[in-house]
Amino acid sequence: MVFIRKLGLVLAASLITLSFTADAAACKYNDGLACPELTPCCSPHGHCGNSRLACGNGCDATASFNGVCQPFVFSTTPPSLAAAGGKAKPMPTQPKGSFKVVGLTGVAAQHIALVTPKKMLIIDKAENNPAKLPSGKAAHAVEYDIETNEYRVLDVATNTFCSGGGFLPNGTLISGGGAEARMTHTFTADKGFQSLRMWQPCEDNSCEWIENPADPAWQMTGNRWYVSFTTLPSGDLFVLGGSNESLAINRLATNNPTWELYPKAADFQAVHMPFMVDAMPNNLYPNVYTLPDGNLYIFANQKSCIYSVERREEIKRLPDLPGGPRSYPLTGSHVLLPLDPAKNYAHEILVCGGSETMSTQSKALSSCGRINLHAADPQWELDEMPTPRLMSDAVILADGKVLLLNGAQLGYAGFLRASNPIYTPVLYDPDAPLGQRFTEWTPSNIARMYHSVATLLPDGTVFVAGSNQNSEVRFEDVPFPTEYRVEIFTPPYLTTDLERPEIVSAIPEKLAYDQKLDIVIDVKATDKYEPDVTFMLGHRGFVTHSTHMSQRVTKLVSTKTSEDGTKITYSVAMPPNANLMPPGPHYIHMLNNGVPSKAIHFILG
């Protein structure tokens, strides 16, 4: 969709706007100005937006564009035509996608990680789950087969409640942190505050947790409840923050404002990070992303900074994100938007939602902030979602758009602390104009709030599970029973009249940075739609509490080299270095006119 105006009209409109807004009221978070034309409505929360929420009840007309709460209407072209050249594009038969229940998790899905193309690791805390160990006691971890929708019960010795995780370069998952020991007649677990656990993936149902709580080598430097893990370009895991004990909100006395590495030397001492003190009290599960120069971007509460692991110091403090806290327990959604070589791999962070205060009647935030870390002076650009959201998951889809789903509209993260669940997912298109980036899709009928999860699967669908608002497993006499159903969300791109393309050549199990390889694809047909091919590379990461640790996606540079009917050969280059995509398990999707192939799994680096 293209919006075009002649220069004269633009200048004239600008002059009119300036003359009108000189005496207009200011929208709270718009730098002392009334709202601009493309995001014309000053929402009840003081953000400029173009959604029905921003322009509806509570909109401040005096601070809105031209003094009225009226959305801007973009010019449109028929949706079946491409924005460039008017070429026909495939249209979905289900333009808002669909949900389908496919199985049961056996344990409450508080944490998940896609450990192989067919297996999902699902981790809960120690509690009385339906899945039972051979001893008859309740399990709190399973391996879920995404093809058969059946699970295999796993035995984990320590309490994994509110832990973190990350992948090593060889694909091994490290889980770390947790909570107090729990010993009952129905389930048992040793304390897990400092514990490290290892999972070496397999496809033959032979793999089990590896841990040794009594060995100091299997311990972190201190207690870490609500800890974040991030894979570094070196392949080490960066382990940040957490609390010394399980609690509702962090306190100075319980805060662990330090970081460490895995693996670490025997004499390694945790490194103090003042930023993690400044971000109190909403600083648990901080969001961490590697940057092109090897430094880290860290976000917690409303604050963010650039940090050097090598120098062990903060490089730069960035502006606070306006509008309210965005980290646990006032949990928002965070994502590094897909990287693009055509944009010099500019790193842009999107943060959406959160909550106003720590109250069960607190309203979720409807605002989103987006910051371009590639800019000389990075600043937050504010936008409005169609619906306020708290505790939502931000999943990067196969086409690079972001799906926001799960969550609540009232309260905060914690047991029985949130209500008014959000059933309707919303799509965020990073490349659309400001004010036109959100689209609501088909709702689920399952409430998924605290302890819900979601992630992209190799076939381009989305795995959705979890939700336990209760301190223990409850099925009766509670507003929202503990949820074990698994849903698969099918995005619209899998419902078009264009047959799904396929990567037909073998991809090596291991690839190096900047390595070029010839990939043969089959677009199946060319008579109706001219091929338009893109390659996307992604790492799924470790998912818990709306935090998708190490999730990242990049477009790949590709060049067509030959064509034989519907089979086309492309020379595809891997990312140039580990700063852009740290080493570990990755999935490559090929898309033809926005329709994705099934992804191929390999180890990068």
Side-chain angles (χ1 to χ4, degrees):
M1 189 158 35
V2 178
F3 176 70
I4 303 174
R5 286 181 177 240
K6 293 183 179 179
L7 180 60
L9 290 176
V10 172
L11 292 174
S14 300
L15 292 173
I16 292 171
T17 302
L18 287 172
S19 64
F20 182 83
T21 58
D23 298 319
C27 197
K28 184 175 180 180
Y29 295 116
N30 196 42
D31 298 325
L33 299 173
C35 292
E37 185 178 12
L38 297 185
T39 52
C41 300
C42 185
S43 77
H45 298 286
H47 299 284
C48 294
N50 195 44
S51 66
R52 69 169 186 269
L53 184 69
C55 300
N57 292 337
C59 172
D60 182 359
T62 63
S64 297
F65 182 73
N66 278 349
V68 292
C69 292
Q70 180 174 333
F72 180 83
V73 179
F74 289 82
S75 63
T76 61
T77 58
S80 62
L81 299 182
K87 297 178 182 177
K89 291 289 182 181
M91 290 294 293
T93 58
Q94 296 180 341
K96 296 186 177 182
S98 62
F99 284 92
K100 181 182 179 181
V101 175
V102 296
L104 299 171
T105 56
V107 302
Q110 186 179 130
H111 323 71
I112 60 172
L114 184 65
V115 290
T116 78
K118 299 179 182 179
K119 305 289 188 179
M120 185 77 70
L121 202 58
I122 302 177
I123 308 169
D124 188 19
K125 64 171 185 167
E127 59 181 332
N128 192 22
N129 285 300
K132 305 300 181 186
L133 295 163
S135 65
K137 295 205 170 183
H140 56 283
V142 301
E143 183 188 59
Y144 187 93
D145 189 309
I146 61 175
E147 292 187 343
T148 66
N149 293 303
E150 297 177 349
Y151 60 79
R152 179 171 67 95
V153 177
L154 305 173
D155 191 3
V156 56
T158 51
N159 191 0
T160 48
F161 183 30
C162 300
S163 52
F167 286 89
L168 297 176
N170 68 351
T172 296
L173 176 74
I174 300 297
S175 163
E180 62 279 344
R182 303 200 73 191
M183 302 292 175
T184 76
H185 68 284
T186 57
F187 58 89
T188 62
D190 294 329
K191 65 180 179 180
F193 284 115
Q194 287 185 251
S195 293
L196 291 165
R197 313 163 196 92
M198 179 180 291
W199 181 264
Q200 295 176 322
C202 65
E203 291 283 14
D204 62 0
N205 296 332
S206 65
C207 38
E208 299 287 348
W209 283 105
I210 304 170
E211 55 183 332
N212 186 359
D215 186 346
W218 288 84
Q219 299 285 314
M220 294 182 288
T221 57
N223 287 3
R224 295 190 185 275
W225 188 70
Y226 277 86
V227 59
S228 288
F229 280 62
T230 303
T231 305
L232 297 177
S234 64
D236 295 332
L237 290 174
F238 179 79
V239 184
L240 176 63
S243 171
N244 290 321
E245 62 184 61
S246 53
L247 36 65
I249 190 168
N250 213 357
R251 307 187 305 270
L252 286 174
T254 60
N255 187 32
N256 186 345
T258 69
W259 63 265
E260 59 185 279
L261 299 176
Y262 179 88
K264 63 181 184 295
D267 60 350
F268 183 92
Q269 299 293 315
V271 181
H272 184 264
M273 183 183 290
F275 172 83
M276 292 299 292
V277 177
D278 297 344
M280 285 285 292
N282 303 292
N283 70 343
L284 297 178
Y285 278 141
N287 293 87
V288 185
Y289 305 97
T290 62
L291 297 176
D293 60 3
N295 292 322
L296 298 177
Y297 171 83
I298 303 173
F299 183 101
N301 200 339
Q302 295 174 259
K303 301 182 179 298
S304 59
C305 73
I306 308 298
Y307 188 88
S308 170
V309 173
E310 182 180 0
R311 291 162 51 180
R312 301 189 173 195
E313 65 180 14
E314 184 177 314
I315 303 298
K316 182 179 182 179
R317 186 67 61 96
L318 296 166
D320 287 0
L321 173 56
R326 317 280 183 156
S327 299
Y328 184 88
L330 307 180
T331 309
S333 309
H334 307 250
V335 64
L336 169 66
L337 295 176
L339 309 180
D340 187 345
K343 299 177 182 177
N344 200 24
Y345 298 101
H347 281 49
E348 293 189 78
I349 308 295
L350 179 71
V351 181
C352 288
S355 193
E356 294 176 341
T357 59
M358 198 170 165
S359 163
T360 57
Q361 296 305 307
S362 175
K363 294 181 180 179
L365 303 177
S366 60
S367 62
C368 291
R370 177 171 168 173
I371 190 168
N372 184 353
L373 303 176
H374 200 69
D377 181 24
Q379 298 292 326
W380 290 102
E381 173 192 77
L382 295 175
D383 204 348
E384 287 279 316
M385 295 182 287
T387 307
R389 306 185 83 96
L390 161 75
M391 297 185 293
S392 287
D393 283 278
V395 178
I396 305 176
L397 298 179
D399 61 0
K401 297 180 176 64
V402 179
L403 183 66
L404 295 166
L405 73 170
N406 302 338
Q409 297 187 65
L410 279 178
Y412 61 99
F415 295 127
L416 297 175
R417 296 295 185 262
S419 60
N420 197 2
I422 300 172
Y423 296 98
T424 303
V426 62
L427 183 75
Y428 179 86
D429 184 349
D431 295 326
L434 181 64
Q436 201 184 4
R437 293 173 180 161
F438 292 102
T439 303
E440 291 184 305
W441 277 356
T442 296
S444 170
N445 60 9
I446 298 177
R448 297 197 188 273
M449 294 185 284
Y450 190 45
H451 292 162
S452 296
V453 290
T455 194
L456 184 70
L457 295 179
D459 67 358
T461 62
V462 179
F463 180 95
V464 188
S467 192
N468 191 7
Q469 290 272 100
N470 313 298
S471 59
E472 302 293 344
V473 174
R474 294 285 185 272
F475 299 113
E476 298 177 347
D477 303 322
V478 289
F480 301 99
T482 305
E483 184 58 65
Y484 291 95
R485 287 172 290 180
V486 175
E487 286 177 293
I488 294 297
F489 179 77
T490 300
Y493 55 48
L494 292 176
T495 70
T496 75
D497 61 346
L498 178 61
E499 188 175 353
R500 186 170 197 159
E502 181 183 1
I503 298 175
V504 296
S505 58
I507 304 292
E509 294 182 359
K510 298 179 181 179
L511 290 171
Y513 290 103
D514 212 26
Q515 180 176 344
K516 295 180 176 62
L517 67 157
D518 290 334
I519 298 180
V520 181
I521 66 169
D522 189 348
V523 295
K524 304 298 184 179
T526 59
D527 55 335
K528 194 170 183 179
Y529 305 108
E530 182 179 334
D532 183 3
V533 173
T534 304
F535 292 85
M536 304 289 284
L537 180 70
H539 176 72
R540 306 292 182 254
F542 182 92
V543 183
T544 186
H545 293 76
S546 305
T547 306
H548 291 238
M549 302 177 192
S550 298
Q551 176 186 220
R552 56 198 296 136
V553 168
T554 185
K555 289 184 179 179
L556 296 176
V557 175
S558 62
T559 305
K560 184 168 72 173
T561 58
S562 66
E563 187 170 351
D564 182 11
T566 61
K567 291 184 171 62
I568 309 173
T569 302
Y570 282 82
S571 174
V572 181
M574 290 299 104
N577 57 64
N579 292 343
L580 299 175
M581 295 293 285
H586 288 72
Y587 292 84
I588 184 170
H589 280 281
M590 177 271 294
L591 297 99
N592 178 27
N593 284 290
V595 178
S597 68
K598 291 184 178 181
I600 304 297
H601 170 268
F602 63 89
I603 298 294
L604 178 64

